[in-house]
Amino acid sequence: MPPVELYADDSPNLDGSIYRGSRVAARQVMIPVYLHGVDRRSLRELKRRLIRAVNPKNGPCLIRITEGDSQTRTLTVFYKDGLQGDEGVDSAGFRWTRYGLQFTAYDPWWYGPDLQVAEWSFSGGKPLLTTGKGLFPLSLSQGVLSNSSVPIVNPGDVEAWPVWQLKGPVRGFQLTGPDGGSFGISAGATGTPDAVPAGRVLTIDTRPGVKSIRDDQGVNLWPRLDGSPALWPVPAGNSKASVNLAAGGPAASLRLTFRPRYESY
């Protein structure tokens, strides 16, 4: 489990403290590594390749754990310490050396290999009642996705931050999470531009550090959001979201994608 920072208030009139909250801090990881070469030259080449591979200037490293049931988890880390090169008798020899590589995972959660994806599309519309048959039994056409409780399943241990994609034409939309937070672009009066014109795709990335709303041409639509937007996460387990989408045509669709996060591998 990653380390947890606790926050509390002290009172001069009470014993102890009052718990206020907590947050998960960056995770520290140590991995022992043993290098063995056929000669001194091959050992030095192995060390150079390892140093280049873990250098943070070349990007992050991925620690991948695979269990016996083929379940895989990955953790994104940055090298911090451990490759200084101890040449003591117990740490290195003529053709071998060992290190304790220390990494920091600023994102402390493990990720699974699979994305959770849900998609809703809008057909060209059907008659309310079937035609060419008798009146009974009645057969009603499926309604559009609007003001609905849409079930979402997050198999992870903690909340996940989704990426939404809306394919036009969409006149306006409002997405409300289980906690009541919502964001969207209201449909304007007749003649006003659609939130997502036909043939365009709007991507809403709610992930921390990203938080962007852009279409497929790179246009920033954040200024068009309704007031006080809350780009909400998907909680762990089963939950329901409310989707209010005014589709401007049968080509409109809504796509939800997120990667579950886990406390351990």
Side-chain angles (χ1 to χ4, degrees), residues 64-245:
R64 181 175 289 110
I65 304 293
T66 303
E67 292 288 346
D69 59 358
S70 299
Q71 176 179 278
T72 301
R73 297 279 188 267
T74 57
L75 183 70
T76 301
V77 297
F78 291 85
Y79 169 78
K80 179 181 179 180
D81 201 355
L83 271 173
Q84 285 81 356
D86 184 359
E87 295 291 339
V89 175
D90 295 332
S91 300
F94 186 75
R95 293 187 301 171
W96 66 273
T97 187
R98 60 186 181 187
Y99 302 105
L101 302 187
Q102 299 178 34
F103 298 91
T104 298
Y106 294 103
D107 182 351
W109 306 113
W110 293 86
Y111 287 81
D114 300 324
L115 291 172
Q116 297 294 114
V117 180
E119 187 167 3
W120 301 270
S121 59
F122 303 85
S123 64
K126 299 178 181 178
L128 176 64
L129 302 177
T130 57
T131 58
K133 300 181 180 179
L135 181 60
F136 297 100
L138 292 176
S139 177
L140 304 181
S141 62
Q142 184 177 4
V144 298
L145 185 65
S146 179
N147 292 327
S148 302
S149 292
V150 179
I152 302 177
V153 179
N154 176 7
D157 297 327
V158 295
E159 73 278 3
W161 295 90
V163 177
W164 301 86
Q165 286 187 321
L166 289 89
K167 182 179 179 182
V170 175
R171 297 185 59 243
F173 66 92
Q174 192 77 21
L175 305 177
T176 304
D179 61 353
S182 65
F183 62 91
I185 299 176
S186 299
T190 303
T192 59
D194 290 342
V196 188
R200 304 282 283 276
V201 178
L202 177 65
T203 300
I204 304 169
D205 196 333
T206 68
R207 292 175 297 173
V210 181
K211 301 291 186 186
S212 64
I213 302 180
R214 297 183 181 273
D215 65 12
D216 52 335
Q217 296 184 352
V219 178
N220 179 20
L221 294 184
W222 193 285
R224 290 195 59 186
L225 282 178
D226 297 339
S228 302
L231 274 61
W232 44 271
V234 176
N238 298 328
S239 60
K240 290 186 178 181
S242 177
V243 177
N244 190 337
L245 193 148

Side-chain angles (χ1 to χ4, degrees), residues 23-62:
R23 64 178 292 272
V24 175
R27 185 194 296 261
Q28 306 298 323
V29 181
M30 194 283 286
I31 296 183
V33 174
Y34 177 83
L35 300 181
H36 187 276
V38 295
D39 53 24
R40 184 67 178 177
R41 181 176 180 180
S42 63
L43 174 63
R44 292 173 59 193
E45 180 59 26
L46 279 174
K47 290 193 290 185
R48 292 192 185 98
R49 290 172 57 188
L50 179 61
I51 291 171
R52 286 196 300 269
V54 302
N55 190 335
K57 292 186 176 181
N58 296 329
C61 300
L62 285 181

